[in-house]
Structures are given as C-alpha cells and as structure tokens.
Amino acid sequence: MRPITAIGFDADDTLWQNEQYYRLTGEHFARLLGEFAEGAQIAERLLEAEKRNLSHYGFGIKGFTLSMIETAIEITNGKVPTRTISEILDIGRDLLRHPVETLPHVEETLETLNGEYLLVLITKGDLFDQERKLAQSGLGDFFDAVEIVSEKNATTYRRIFSKVADGPERAMMVGNSLKSDIVPAIAAGSYGVFVPHALTWILEHVDAPTTAPRFHQIEHLGELPSILQKITAA
C-alpha cells in the first residue's frame, strides 16, 4: 500500500497570489483616512477589527471590507464622510474582481500529480469568491474534489480526508499557512508540506512543527513530487 493516496492543497498564496492584494488595499484604506490618523495606527486598528470580526464574518474579502468600514467609523469617532464609505465599498469590490495570478510551478506540478493521487482543494473564505478564483485560475480540472470551509482544524482534515480519500493517515496537506494548513493536518494524522510565501497574514503565524516526523518544508511547489518520492521510497 502506498503511504499517500490523496493530497490536499490550500488555495490562497499556495496556488495563486492573494495577500499582496490585501496589503495594497490596506495601504489605499490608510490613505483614505490619512487626515484622521497615522498609517501605522490605522493598520493596527484594522487588524484589531479583523480579529474581532472573524467569528462573525469569517475569512474573506466581504468580512475585510466590513472591518474597514468599522475601523473608519472608530477612527473618525463616527464622523467618517459618506464618500469615504463609498470608496471603501469600491475598493472591496475591486478585490472581488481582481484577476487571478497563479504562482510559479503550480500548473506543471498539478499536471504531474493528477491521476497519480487524488487531489483535493481545501480552502477557507467566502464561497463565491473562492469559486470565482478557482474558475478563473483554470486549475479546476486538476482536482477530484473541492472543499470550501469556514475554518481549518484537525477535525476539518479528518472529516474531508475520511470522506473523499482513504483517511487522514494516507493523506498530505500542502499550503503556505502553518496555522491553518500544516499544524492541524499533522494533528489529524496527515503529512504536512509547508510552502512559505513572502507575504502571509500575521494571524496565520505560528511556530513550525519541525520535530514532527510528518512535517516537510519546500521552497516552491515544484519540489513537491520529489518529497512524495522520498516518502514512498522510505
């Protein structure tokens, strides 16, 4: 029996660019409120609002937009101009329309693994936006299953890999977030392959489980097939 029969892939900042657009939007937002506070203070208050609102709005652009509006109201003591609210809504819509830019080595790696393993896209965020990005990426045909979830934890991975594959013990999760993709997948009994991205949301930062036998780290997705070969040969 092969040790791995299924591979889960994160989407944002693993298959395509994502965080860089949030950073640019945050800079635009800070400029809009520049007459009321310094940029660093605006960024800090926005992050606080995002943390508070995760349990209400979940992950994704719509929640981010609502957090920007909430932050604007707080920083201006309720005096934020109507035109500024309108501009915040506009930049939120721009995020929802932004073209998808796939990362290097993604397509050729998926093509290599397609048919050899059951491939599952496992991503969290807004349902419509994630479906849009997958469709625009042109990568949809590589995946045997797509799971868009509200949160990623060990229970999530046990459920998904038990439903669509041979269980978490014979599965691997690949992603750029240690907190969401790697640590909980290993806790569920899966392999975890960390693919660092230059920009990762601060709320996704945790220590790497370097002592875990099933933890691996690669520089880019093109190195994934060689990791699979080593695990199979061991």
Side-chain angles (χ1 to χ4, degrees):
M1 293 176 63
R2 291 196 302 168
I4 298 172
T5 58
I7 306 173
F9 287 87
D10 171 54
D12 293 338
D13 295 318
T14 298
L15 301 182
W16 50 68
Q17 298 283 9
N18 182 66
E19 181 63 19
Q20 69 177 18
Y21 305 129
Y22 278 85
R23 300 285 180 97
L24 292 171
T25 299
E27 292 171 5
H28 187 178
F29 175 66
R31 289 194 296 272
L32 287 177
L33 298 180
E35 64 181 284
F36 299 100
E38 297 293 328
Q41 181 188 5
I42 295 169
E44 182 179 349
R45 296 288 291 274
L46 176 57
L47 181 61
E48 290 173 358
E50 289 182 88
K51 289 179 182 178
R52 288 196 307 269
N53 290 331
L54 277 178
S55 61
H56 301 295
Y57 308 139
F59 297 88
I61 293 171
K62 294 174 184 176
F64 181 60
T65 303
L66 290 170
S67 292
M68 285 193 290
I69 292 173
E70 182 178 311
T71 302
I73 293 170
E74 291 176 352
I75 285 179
T76 64
N77 295 314
K79 298 178 182 178
V80 56
T82 302
R83 68 177 183 277
T84 301
I85 297 294
S86 179
E87 287 187 67
I88 292 171
L89 290 171
D90 284 342
I91 61 178
R93 292 190 191 98
D94 286 343
L95 268 179
L96 287 167
R97 293 190 293 261
H98 206 285
V100 175
E101 178 188 351
T102 57
L103 288 163
H105 310 289
V106 167
E107 187 166 353
E108 59 263 40
T109 298
L110 293 177
E111 188 171 4
T112 296
L113 301 177
N114 186 33
E116 294 294 321
Y117 298 89
L118 186 144
L119 304 185
V120 188
L121 182 70
I122 306 175
T123 182
K124 64 184 178 183
D126 180 78
L127 175 64
F128 293 146
D129 186 44
Q130 294 300 88
E131 288 180 338
R132 174 191 70 86
K133 287 188 283 191
L134 178 60
Q136 289 188 7
S137 72
L139 303 175
D141 289 342
F142 290 118
F143 292 100
D144 301 286
V146 175
E147 296 281 342
I148 301 173
V149 299
S150 58
E151 185 56 273
K152 289 178 176 178
N153 51 40
T155 300
T156 303
Y157 292 116
R158 290 191 193 99
R159 175 182 61 80
I160 292 174
F161 288 134
S162 296
K163 180 179 72 172
V164 305
D166 298 321
E169 294 80 9
R170 299 184 67 193
M172 169 184 282
M173 183 62 193
V174 181
N176 75 294
S177 170
L178 289 165
K179 181 179 179 181
S180 293
D181 303 320
I182 308 307
V183 172
I186 290 175
S190 303
Y191 292 84
V193 178
F194 177 46
V195 192
H197 187 277
L199 300 175
T200 298
W201 192 28
I202 191 172
L203 297 186
E204 294 292 333
H205 290 184
V206 296
D207 293 334
T210 53
T211 60
R214 292 194 164 201
F215 173 74
H216 298 271
Q217 180 170 335
I218 55 180
E219 292 186 9
H220 54 75
L221 213 58
E223 297 179 353
L224 184 59
S226 65
I227 290 291
L228 288 160
Q229 289 175 2
K230 290 178 182 178
I231 293 172
T232 301

